[in-house]
Amino acid sequence: FDEAAVSGEPVPVSATLFLEVDALEPALARAAEVGGVAGEVDHTMGPYVSAVCTDDQGTVFGLLSSRLEAE
């Protein structure tokens, strides 16, 4: 909605499923290990760190955590 309001242009509807994990870096490593593509870490989701990834079949999903590294 915000993008459409700012640009004045139609914007296709989309959604990305985000999964909460204990720590982001180990989950990103595992996603890459099983053939996916781990996305860049984003620090703009409030108190969380997140990344948009792709699995080995090309499905896009997000990972979200309050911690970057495992304790």
Side-chain angles (χ1 to χ4, degrees):
F1 173 78
D2 292 340
E3 185 179 344
V6 170
S7 70
E9 300 292 323
V11 176
V13 176
S14 67
T16 301
L17 173 68
F18 275 79
L19 306 167
E20 186 173 1
V21 295
D22 289 333
L24 189 59
E25 285 186 347
L28 292 174
R30 182 68 178 141
E33 184 180 303
V34 297
V37 177
E40 296 288 320
V41 175
D42 182 3
H43 297 271
T44 63
M45 289 188 81
Y48 296 98
V49 287
S50 64
V52 177
C53 304
T54 306
D55 71 9
D56 63 335
Q57 303 289 309
T59 302
V60 175
F61 64 96
L63 297 173
L64 171 80
S65 181
S66 60
R67 294 192 320 259
L68 189 57
E69 299 176 357
E71 292 182 342

Coordinates of all heavy atoms in Angstrom, one line a residue:
F1 N 0.8 -1.2 0.0 CA 0.0 0.0 0.0 C 0.9 1.3 0.0 O 0.6 2.2 -0.8 CB -0.9 0.0 1.2 CG -1.7 1.3 1.3 CD1 -2.8 1.6 0.5 CD2 -1.3 2.2 2.3 CE1 -3.5 2.7 0.7 CE2 -2.0 3.4 2.4 CZ -3.1 3.7 1.6
D2 N 1.9 1.3 0.9 CA 2.7 2.5 0.9 C 3.4 2.8 -0.4 O 3.5 4.0 -0.8 CB 3.8 2.3 2.0 CG 3.2 2.3 3.4 OD1 2.0 2.8 3.6 OD2 3.8 1.8 4.3
E3 N 3.9 1.8 -1.1 CA 4.6 2.0 -2.3 C 3.6 2.6 -3.4 O 4.0 3.5 -4.1 CB 5.2 0.7 -2.8 CG 6.0 0.8 -4.1 CD 6.6 -0.5 -4.5 OE1 6.7 -1.4 -3.8 OE2 7.0 -0.5 -5.7
A4 N 2.4 2.0 -3.4 CA 1.4 2.5 -4.4 C 1.0 3.9 -4.0 O 0.9 4.8 -4.9 CB 0.2 1.6 -4.3
A5 N 0.9 4.3 -2.8 CA 0.5 5.6 -2.4 C 1.6 6.6 -2.7 O 1.3 7.7 -3.2 CB 0.2 5.6 -0.9
V6 N 2.8 6.3 -2.5 CA 3.9 7.2 -2.8 C 4.1 7.4 -4.3 O 4.3 8.5 -4.8 CB 5.2 6.7 -2.2 CG1 6.4 7.5 -2.7 CG2 5.1 6.8 -0.7
S7 N 4.1 6.3 -5.1 CA 4.4 6.3 -6.5 C 3.2 6.7 -7.3 O 3.3 7.3 -8.4 CB 4.9 5.0 -7.0 OG 3.9 4.0 -7.0
G8 N 2.0 6.5 -6.8 CA 0.8 6.7 -7.6 C 0.5 5.7 -8.7 O -0.4 5.8 -9.5
E9 N 1.4 4.7 -8.7 CA 1.3 3.6 -9.7 C 0.7 2.3 -9.1 O 0.9 2.1 -7.9 CB 2.7 3.3 -10.3 CG 3.3 4.5 -11.0 CD 2.6 4.9 -12.3 OE1 2.1 4.0 -13.0 OE2 2.6 6.1 -12.5
P10 N 0.1 1.5 -9.9 CA -0.4 0.2 -9.4 C 0.8 -0.7 -9.0 O 1.8 -0.7 -9.6 CB -1.2 -0.4 -10.5 CG -1.3 0.6 -11.6 CD -0.3 1.7 -11.3
V11 N 0.6 -1.4 -7.9 CA 1.7 -2.2 -7.4 C 1.1 -3.6 -7.2 O 0.1 -3.8 -6.6 CB 2.2 -1.8 -6.0 CG1 3.3 -2.7 -5.5 CG2 2.8 -0.4 -6.2
P12 N 1.8 -4.7 -7.8 CA 1.2 -6.0 -7.7 C 1.2 -6.5 -6.2 O 2.1 -6.2 -5.4 CB 2.2 -6.9 -8.5 CG 3.3 -6.0 -8.9 CD 3.0 -4.6 -8.6
V13 N 0.2 -7.2 -5.8 CA 0.1 -7.7 -4.5 C 1.0 -8.9 -4.3 O 1.2 -9.7 -5.2 CB -1.4 -8.2 -4.2 CG1 -1.5 -8.8 -2.8 CG2 -2.3 -7.0 -4.4
S14 N 1.8 -8.9 -3.2 CA 2.7 -10.0 -2.9 C 2.8 -10.2 -1.4 O 2.5 -9.3 -0.6 CB 4.0 -9.8 -3.5 OG 4.7 -8.7 -2.9
A15 N 3.2 -11.4 -1.0 CA 3.5 -11.6 0.4 C 4.6 -12.6 0.5 O 4.9 -13.4 -0.4 CB 2.2 -12.3 1.0
T16 N 5.4 -12.4 1.6 CA 6.5 -13.3 1.9 C 6.3 -13.9 3.3 O 6.1 -13.2 4.2 CB 7.9 -12.6 1.8 OG1 8.0 -12.0 0.5 CG2 9.0 -13.5 2.1
L17 N 6.4 -15.2 3.4 CA 6.3 -15.9 4.6 C 7.6 -15.7 5.4 O 8.7 -16.1 4.9 CB 6.0 -17.4 4.4 CG 6.0 -18.3 5.7 CD1 4.9 -17.9 6.6 CD2 6.0 -19.7 5.3
F18 N 7.5 -15.2 6.6 CA 8.7 -15.1 7.5 C 8.6 -16.1 8.6 O 7.6 -16.2 9.2 CB 8.9 -13.7 8.1 CG 9.6 -12.7 7.1 CD1 8.9 -12.2 6.1 CD2 10.9 -12.4 7.3 CE1 9.5 -11.3 5.2 CE2 11.6 -11.6 6.5 CZ 10.9 -11.0 5.4
L19 N 9.7 -16.8 8.9 CA 9.8 -17.8 9.9 C 10.7 -17.3 11.0 O 11.8 -16.9 10.7 CB 10.3 -19.1 9.4 CG 9.5 -19.7 8.2 CD1 10.3 -20.8 7.5 CD2 8.1 -20.1 8.6
E20 N 10.3 -17.3 12.2 CA 11.2 -16.9 13.3 C 12.1 -18.0 13.7 O 11.7 -19.1 13.9 CB 10.3 -16.4 14.5 CG 11.2 -15.8 15.6 CD 10.4 -15.2 16.7 OE1 9.1 -15.3 16.7 OE2 11.0 -14.6 17.7
V21 N 13.4 -17.7 13.8 CA 14.4 -18.7 14.2 C 15.1 -18.2 15.5 O 15.1 -17.0 15.8 CB 15.4 -18.9 13.1 CG1 14.7 -19.6 11.9 CG2 16.1 -17.6 12.6
D22 N 15.8 -19.1 16.2 CA 16.5 -18.7 17.4 C 17.6 -17.7 17.2 O 17.8 -16.7 17.9 CB 17.1 -19.9 18.1 CG 16.0 -20.8 18.7 OD1 14.9 -20.3 19.1 OD2 16.3 -22.0 18.9
A23 N 18.4 -17.9 16.1 CA 19.5 -17.0 15.7 C 19.6 -17.0 14.2 O 19.4 -18.0 13.6 CB 20.8 -17.4 16.4
L24 N 19.8 -15.8 13.6 CA 19.7 -15.7 12.1 C 20.9 -16.4 11.4 O 20.7 -17.1 10.5 CB 19.6 -14.2 11.7 CG 19.3 -14.0 10.3 CD1 18.0 -14.6 9.8 CD2 19.3 -12.5 10.0
E25 N 22.1 -16.1 11.9 CA 23.3 -16.6 11.1 C 23.3 -18.1 11.0 O 23.6 -18.6 9.9 CB 24.6 -16.1 11.7 CG 24.8 -14.6 11.4 CD 26.2 -14.1 11.8 OE1 26.9 -14.7 12.6 OE2 26.5 -13.0 11.4
P26 N 23.1 -18.9 12.0 CA 23.1 -20.4 11.8 C 22.0 -20.8 10.9 O 22.2 -21.7 10.1 CB 22.8 -20.9 13.2 CG 23.2 -19.8 14.2 CD 22.9 -18.6 13.4
A27 N 20.8 -20.2 10.9 CA 19.7 -20.5 10.0 C 20.1 -20.2 8.5 O 19.8 -20.9 7.6 CB 18.4 -19.8 10.4
L28 N 20.8 -19.0 8.3 CA 21.2 -18.7 7.0 C 22.2 -19.7 6.5 O 22.2 -20.1 5.3 CB 21.8 -17.3 7.0 CG 20.8 -16.1 7.2 CD1 21.5 -14.8 7.3 CD2 19.7 -16.1 6.1
A29 N 23.1 -20.1 7.3 CA 24.1 -21.1 6.9 C 23.5 -22.4 6.5 O 23.8 -23.0 5.5 CB 25.1 -21.3 8.1
R30 N 22.5 -22.8 7.3 CA 21.8 -24.0 7.0 C 21.0 -23.9 5.7 O 21.0 -24.9 4.9 CB 20.8 -24.4 8.1 CG 20.1 -25.7 7.9 CD 21.0 -26.9 8.0 NE 20.2 -28.1 7.8 CZ 20.6 -29.1 7.1 NH1 21.8 -29.2 6.6 NH2 19.8 -30.2 7.0
A31 N 20.4 -22.8 5.4 CA 19.6 -22.6 4.2 C 20.6 -22.8 3.0 O 20.2 -23.4 2.0 CB 19.0 -21.2 4.1
A32 N 21.8 -22.2 3.1 CA 22.7 -22.3 2.0 C 23.3 -23.8 1.9 O 23.5 -24.3 0.8 CB 23.9 -21.4 2.2
E33 N 23.5 -24.4 3.0 CA 24.0 -25.8 3.1 C 23.1 -26.8 2.4 O 23.5 -27.7 1.8 CB 24.1 -26.2 4.5 CG 24.7 -27.5 4.8 CD 24.9 -27.8 6.3 OE1 25.5 -27.0 7.0 OE2 24.3 -28.8 6.7
V34 N 21.8 -26.5 2.4 CA 20.8 -27.5 1.8 C 20.4 -27.0 0.4 O 19.4 -27.5 -0.2 CB 19.6 -27.7 2.7 CG1 19.9 -28.3 4.0 CG2 18.8 -26.4 2.9
G35 N 21.2 -26.1 -0.2 CA 21.0 -25.8 -1.6 C 20.2 -24.5 -1.9 O 20.0 -24.2 -3.0
G36 N 19.9 -23.8 -0.8 CA 19.1 -22.5 -1.0 C 20.1 -21.3 -1.2 O 21.3 -21.5 -1.2
V37 N 19.6 -20.2 -1.3 CA 20.3 -18.9 -1.3 C 20.0 -18.1 -0.1 O 18.8 -17.7 0.1 CB 20.0 -18.1 -2.6 CG1 20.8 -16.8 -2.7 CG2 20.4 -19.0 -3.9
A38 N 21.0 -17.9 0.7 CA 20.8 -17.0 1.9 C 20.9 -15.6 1.5 O 21.8 -15.1 0.9 CB 21.8 -17.4 3.0
G39 N 19.9 -14.8 1.9 CA 19.8 -13.4 1.5 C 20.7 -12.5 2.5 O 21.2 -13.0 3.5
E40 N 20.8 -11.3 2.1 CA 21.5 -10.3 2.9 C 20.8 -10.0 4.2 O 19.6 -9.9 4.3 CB 21.7 -9.0 2.2 CG 22.5 -9.1 0.9 CD 24.0 -9.3 1.2 OE1 24.5 -8.6 2.1 OE2 24.6 -10.1 0.5
V41 N 21.5 -9.8 5.3 CA 20.9 -9.5 6.6 C 20.4 -8.1 6.6 O 21.1 -7.1 6.1 CB 22.0 -9.7 7.7 CG1 21.4 -9.2 9.1 CG2 22.4 -11.1 7.8
D42 N 19.2 -7.9 7.0 CA 18.5 -6.6 7.1 C 18.3 -6.2 8.5 O 17.8 -7.0 9.3 CB 17.2 -6.7 6.3 CG 16.5 -5.4 6.2 OD1 17.0 -4.4 6.7 OD2 15.3 -5.4 5.7
H43 N 18.6 -5.0 8.9 CA 18.5 -4.6 10.3 C 17.3 -3.6 10.4 O 17.3 -2.8 11.4 CB 19.8 -3.9 10.8 CG 20.9 -4.9 10.8 ND1 21.2 -5.7 11.9 CD2 21.9 -5.2 9.8 CE1 22.3 -6.4 11.6 NE2 22.7 -6.1 10.4
T44 N 16.4 -3.5 9.5 CA 15.4 -2.5 9.5 C 14.0 -3.0 10.0 O 13.0 -2.2 9.9 CB 15.2 -1.9 8.1 OG1 14.7 -2.9 7.2 CG2 16.4 -1.3 7.6
M45 N 13.9 -4.2 10.6 CA 12.6 -4.7 11.1 C 12.5 -4.5 12.6 O 12.4 -5.5 13.4 CB 12.4 -6.1 10.7 CG 12.2 -6.3 9.2 SD 11.7 -7.9 8.7 CE 10.0 -7.9 9.1
G46 N 12.6 -3.3 13.1 CA 12.5 -3.0 14.5 C 13.6 -3.7 15.3 O 14.7 -3.6 15.0
P47 N 13.2 -4.5 16.3 CA 14.2 -5.1 17.2 C 14.7 -6.4 16.6 O 15.5 -7.1 17.2 CB 13.4 -5.4 18.5 CG 12.0 -5.6 18.0 CD 11.8 -4.6 16.9
Y48 N 14.3 -6.7 15.4 CA 14.7 -8.0 14.7 C 15.7 -7.8 13.6 O 15.8 -6.7 13.0 CB 13.5 -8.7 14.1 CG 12.5 -9.1 15.2 CD1 11.4 -8.3 15.4 CD2 12.6 -10.3 15.9 CE1 10.4 -8.7 16.4 CE2 11.7 -10.6 16.8 CZ 10.6 -9.8 17.1 OH 9.7 -10.2 18.0
V49 N 16.4 -8.9 13.3 CA 17.3 -9.0 12.1 C 16.6 -10.0 11.2 O 15.9 -10.9 11.7 CB 18.7 -9.4 12.4 CG1 19.5 -8.2 13.0 CG2 18.8 -10.6 13.2
S50 N 16.6 -9.8 9.9 CA 15.9 -10.7 9.0 C 16.7 -10.8 7.7 O 17.7 -10.1 7.4 CB 14.5 -10.1 8.7 OG 14.7 -8.8 8.0
A51 N 16.3 -11.8 6.9 CA 16.9 -12.0 5.6 C 15.8 -12.7 4.7 O 15.1 -13.5 5.2 CB 18.1 -12.8 5.7
V52 N 15.7 -12.3 3.5 CA 14.9 -13.0 2.5 C 15.7 -14.0 1.8 O 16.8 -13.6 1.2 CB 14.2 -12.0 1.6 CG1 13.4 -12.7 0.5 CG2 13.3 -11.0 2.4
C53 N 15.3 -15.2 1.8 CA 16.1 -16.3 1.2 C 15.3 -17.0 0.1 O 14.1 -16.7 -0.1 CB 16.4 -17.4 2.3 SG 17.3 -16.7 3.7
T54 N 15.9 -17.9 -0.6 CA 15.3 -18.8 -1.6 C 15.7 -20.2 -1.4 O 16.9 -20.5 -1.2 CB 15.7 -18.3 -3.0 OG1 15.5 -16.9 -3.2 CG2 14.9 -19.1 -4.1
D55 N 14.7 -21.1 -1.4 CA 15.1 -22.5 -1.2 C 15.6 -23.1 -2.5 O 15.6 -22.4 -3.5 CB 14.0 -23.3 -0.6 CG 12.8 -23.6 -1.5 OD1 12.9 -23.3 -2.7 OD2 11.8 -24.1 -1.0
D56 N 16.0 -24.4 -2.5 CA 16.5 -25.0 -3.7 C 15.5 -25.2 -4.8 O 15.9 -25.5 -5.9 CB 17.2 -26.4 -3.3 CG 16.1 -27.4 -2.8 OD1 15.1 -27.0 -2.3 OD2 16.4 -28.6 -2.9
Q57 N 14.2 -25.0 -4.5 CA 13.2 -25.0 -5.6 C 12.8 -23.7 -6.1 O 12.0 -23.5 -7.0 CB 12.0 -25.7 -5.0 CG 12.2 -27.1 -4.4 CD 12.5 -28.1 -5.5 OE1 11.7 -28.2 -6.5 NE2 13.6 -28.8 -5.4
G58 N 13.4 -22.6 -5.5 CA 13.2 -21.2 -6.0 C 12.1 -20.5 -5.2 O 11.7 -19.4 -5.6
T59 N 11.6 -21.2 -4.1 CA 10.6 -20.5 -3.3 C 11.2 -19.5 -2.4 O 12.2 -19.8 -1.7 CB 9.8 -21.6 -2.5 OG1 9.3 -22.6 -3.3 CG2 8.7 -21.0 -1.6
V60 N 10.6 -18.3 -2.4 CA 11.1 -17.2 -1.5 C 10.5 -17.3 -0.1 O 9.3 -17.6 0.0 CB 10.8 -15.9 -2.2 CG1 11.2 -14.7 -1.3 CG2 11.5 -15.7 -3.5
F61 N 11.3 -17.1 0.9 CA 10.9 -17.1 2.3 C 11.8 -16.2 3.1 O 12.9 -15.9 2.7 CB 10.8 -18.5 2.9 CG 12.2 -19.1 3.0 CD1 12.9 -19.1 4.2 CD2 12.8 -19.8 1.9 CE1 14.1 -19.6 4.3 CE2 14.0 -20.4 2.1 CZ 14.7 -20.3 3.3
G62 N 11.3 -15.8 4.2 CA 12.1 -14.9 5.1 C 12.4 -15.6 6.4 O 11.7 -16.4 6.9
L63 N 13.6 -15.2 7.0 CA 13.9 -15.6 8.3 C 14.1 -14.4 9.2 O 14.5 -13.4 8.7 CB 15.3 -16.4 8.2 CG 15.3 -17.7 7.4 CD1 16.7 -18.2 7.3 CD2 14.4 -18.7 8.1
L64 N 13.6 -14.5 10.4 CA 13.6 -13.4 11.3 C 14.0 -13.9 12.7 O 13.6 -14.9 13.1 CB 12.1 -13.0 11.4 CG 11.6 -11.9 12.3 CD1 12.0 -10.6 11.9 CD2 10.1 -12.0 12.5
S65 N 14.8 -13.0 13.4 CA 15.3 -13.4 14.7 C 15.6 -12.1 15.5 O 15.9 -11.1 15.0 CB 16.5 -14.2 14.7 OG 16.9 -14.6 16.0
S66 N 15.5 -12.3 16.8 CA 15.9 -11.1 17.7 C 17.4 -11.2 17.9 O 18.0 -10.2 18.4 CB 15.2 -11.2 19.0 OG 15.5 -12.4 19.7
R67 N 18.1 -12.3 17.5 CA 19.6 -12.4 17.6 C 20.2 -12.7 16.3 O 19.7 -13.5 15.5 CB 19.9 -13.5 18.6 CG 19.5 -13.2 20.0 CD 20.1 -14.2 21.0 NE 20.2 -15.6 20.5 CZ 19.3 -16.6 20.8 NH1 18.4 -16.3 21.7 NH2 19.5 -17.8 20.4
L68 N 21.4 -12.2 16.0 CA 22.1 -12.5 14.8 C 22.9 -13.8 15.0 O 22.9 -14.7 14.1 CB 23.1 -11.4 14.5 CG 23.8 -11.4 13.2 CD1 22.8 -11.5 12.0 CD2 24.7 -10.2 13.0
E69 N 23.5 -14.0 16.1 CA 24.4 -15.2 16.4 C 23.8 -16.0 17.5 O 23.1 -15.6 18.3 CB 25.8 -14.7 16.8 CG 26.5 -13.9 15.7 CD 27.8 -13.4 16.2 OE1 28.2 -13.6 17.4 OE2 28.5 -12.7 15.4
A70 N 24.1 -17.3 17.4 CA 23.7 -18.3 18.5 C 24.4 -17.9 19.8 O 25.5 -17.4 19.8 CB 24.0 -19.7 18.1
E71 N 23.7 -18.2 20.9 CA 24.4 -18.0 22.2 C 25.3 -19.2 22.6 O 25.1 -20.3 22.2 CB 23.3 -17.8 23.3 CG 22.5 -16.6 23.0 CD 21.5 -16.3 24.1 OE1 21.1 -17.3 24.8 OE2 21.0 -15.2 24.2

